[in-house]
């Protein structure tokens, strides 16, 4: 199958490379010439425009987008759609908000075009291990696209599936990432407790390795935790600053809209936000209040 891959950042390029390894022909495009050059170094054929992508695909065309969520997706569609013909397919494999996905799908449907949302998990390991894909869209259409998903998945019959109509793929991926926030926070807090028990002089990497086999908390996240602790047991080279890419916020917002309590995911998000404030005004004010009402000691700079 011949596929257009739009967006050749690390994950997009890795997915294009895996598709190529599985005997699919990929035509790659990225607005950045440097990204195209890197992809060519991995034997991915590239072109210099969206027009060239469309020209090299045979109807019904299939284009997979791996561009940042938000306006870049709409900008790409603005350029792409006038070049398309009825029956062509756009797969959004990025981390788009599912509400945006549903809006975009309606826009394409008005032009007799098809939109599929594919929540994609696997990160930098996907090239080697395969990707977990939560796919939303028309059932018959996804069945036609099955060879693409089978090539990208860990195996043809595992790690991917249609989860519902268009929008559902990104919705399920959003919740997946919210769960990920909570699991990561629990691991981080547990290892922090171990780290602060100075009298035992605990080897955190060794403990992570013990837990990897047979324990209730064994997981891929624990494997990655172990790898990180092996490289830098005290994490002295890292700042205590944790980014977020939006899905946790969306998950918490959706939980509120649905009246579903999600305290663990919500607090995990708040902890990430807290990590970005190295000079916390709220903590200073808490110390000042304790000093005011109880004369408790404060630390001055």
């Amino acid at each position: 199958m011949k596929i257009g891959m739009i967006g050749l950042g690390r994950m997009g390029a890795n997915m294009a490379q895996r598709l190529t390894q599985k005997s699919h022909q990929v035509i790659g495009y990225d607005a950045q010439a440097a990204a195209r050059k890197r992809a060519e170094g991995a034997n991915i054929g590239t072109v210099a425009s969206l027009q060239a992508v469309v020209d090299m695909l045979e109807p019904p065309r299939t284009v997979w987008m791996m561009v940042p969520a938000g306006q870049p997706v709409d900008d790409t569609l603005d350029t792409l759609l006038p070049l398309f013909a009825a029956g062509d397919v756009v797969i959004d494999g990025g981390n788009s908000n599912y509400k945006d996905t549903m809006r975009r799908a309606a826009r394409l449907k008005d032009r007799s075009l098809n939109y599929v949302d594919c929540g994609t998990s696997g990160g930098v390991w996907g090239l080697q291990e395969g990707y977990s894909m939560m796919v939303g869209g028309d059932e018959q259409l996804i069945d036609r696209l099955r060879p693409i998903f089978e090539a990208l998945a860990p195996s043809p019959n595992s790690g991917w599936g249609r989860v519902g109509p268009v929008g559902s793929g990104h919705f399920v991926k959003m919740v997946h990432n919210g769960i990920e926030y909570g699991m990561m926070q629990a691991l981080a807090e547990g290892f922090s407790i171990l780290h602060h028990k100075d009298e035992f002089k605990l080897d955190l990497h060794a403990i992570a390795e013990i837990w990897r086999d047979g324990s209730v908390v064994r997981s891929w996240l624990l494997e990655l935790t172990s790898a990180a602790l092996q490289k830098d047991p005290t994490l002295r080279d890292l700042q205590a600053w944790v980014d977020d890419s939006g899905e946790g916020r969306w998950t918490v917002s959706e939980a509120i809209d649905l009246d579903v309590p999600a305290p663990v995911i919500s607090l995990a998000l708040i902890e990430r936000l807290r990590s970005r404030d190295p000079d916390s005004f709220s903590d200073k004010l808490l110390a000042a209040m304790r000093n005011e009402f109880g004369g408790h000691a404060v630390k001055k700079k």
Side-chain angles (χ1 to χ4, degrees):
M1 184 177 289
K2 190 181 286 188
I3 307 149
M5 177 66 71
I6 300 175
L8 296 172
R10 189 173 185 182
M11 192 162 177
N14 282 355
M15 295 180 82
Q17 190 174 348
R18 186 173 175 89
L19 286 167
T20 300
Q21 292 172 352
K22 301 289 185 175
S23 300
H24 293 281
Q25 185 177 352
V26 177
I27 297 114
Y29 168 75
D30 195 287
Q32 302 295 322
R36 297 198 299 270
K37 187 174 182 179
R38 285 194 300 271
E40 289 163 4
N43 296 318
I44 301 167
T46 71
V47 293
S49 69
L50 288 175
Q51 178 72 65
V53 174
V54 174
D55 289 345
M56 293 183 68
L57 296 174
E58 300 175 1
R61 304 171 184 85
T62 299
V63 168
W64 188 300
M65 290 193 304
M66 289 299 291
V67 299
Q71 193 60 43
V73 177
D74 288 309
D75 291 343
T76 301
L77 291 175
D78 287 343
T79 304
L80 189 62
L81 296 192
L83 310 177
F84 264 10
D88 289 347
V89 183
V90 176
I91 304 172
D92 183 356
N95 284 325
S96 290
N97 187 296
Y98 81 97
K99 294 178 181 177
D100 289 336
T101 296
M102 296 175 72
R103 169 178 57 80
R104 292 166 185 148
R107 178 187 179 191
L108 267 68
K109 186 175 182 180
D110 289 341
R111 297 172 177 240
S112 298
L113 302 173
N114 300 294
Y115 205 68
V116 171
D117 57 308
C118 179
T120 309
S121 182
V124 298
W125 294 90
L127 174 59
Q128 176 182 339
E129 303 291 338
Y131 297 91
S132 173
M133 292 168 291
M134 299 136 266
V135 187
D138 178 78
E139 191 169 1
Q140 290 184 335
L141 176 62
I142 291 170
D143 192 55
R144 174 161 69 83
L145 300 172
R146 174 179 289 270
I148 300 175
F149 301 120
E150 289 179 342
L152 290 170
S155 76
N157 297 313
S158 68
W160 79 277
R162 177 183 181 269
V163 296
V166 68
S168 64
H170 283 151
F171 181 83
V172 172
K173 176 57 163 51
M174 174 191 75
V175 177
H176 163 281
N177 282 27
I179 294 170
E180 178 185 297
Y181 277 42
M183 293 173 67
M184 292 173 69
Q185 185 68 30
L187 284 170
E189 291 177 7
F191 276 96
S192 181
I193 296 169
L194 297 174
H195 172 71
H196 283 84
K197 192 64 172 174
D198 294 330
E199 65 184 280
F200 287 158
K201 302 187 185 314
L202 299 171
D203 184 333
L204 302 191
H205 172 249
I207 293 168
E209 285 294 296
I210 292 169
W211 287 354
R212 282 182 57 191
D213 292 307
S215 85
V216 173
V217 297
R218 66 187 183 273
S219 65
W220 186 50
L221 283 174
L222 181 60
E223 292 179 24
L224 299 178
T225 301
S226 178
L229 289 169
Q230 183 178 32
K231 294 174 187 174
D232 186 2
T234 62
L235 305 181
R236 59 183 175 275
D237 295 329
L238 293 181
Q239 294 184 21
W241 193 97
V242 187
D243 201 358
D244 78 282
S245 53
E247 296 91 336
R249 299 172 187 238
W250 301 341
T251 304
V252 171
S253 178
E254 194 69 27
I256 293 170
D257 288 345
L258 295 172
D259 291 331
V260 175
V264 172
I265 296 173
S266 300
L267 186 56
L269 172 63
I270 297 303
E271 285 298 317
R272 291 197 180 196
L273 301 180
R274 182 183 175 83
S275 76
R276 300 168 208 174
D277 189 357
D279 191 32
S280 172
F281 183 83
S282 62
D283 287 347
K284 290 179 182 179
L285 192 54
L286 284 172
M289 283 189 281
R290 292 184 76 247
N291 179 258
E292 289 294 329
F293 69 68
H296 300 291
V298 295
K299 293 184 178 181
K300 300 282 189 178
K301 287 187 177 180

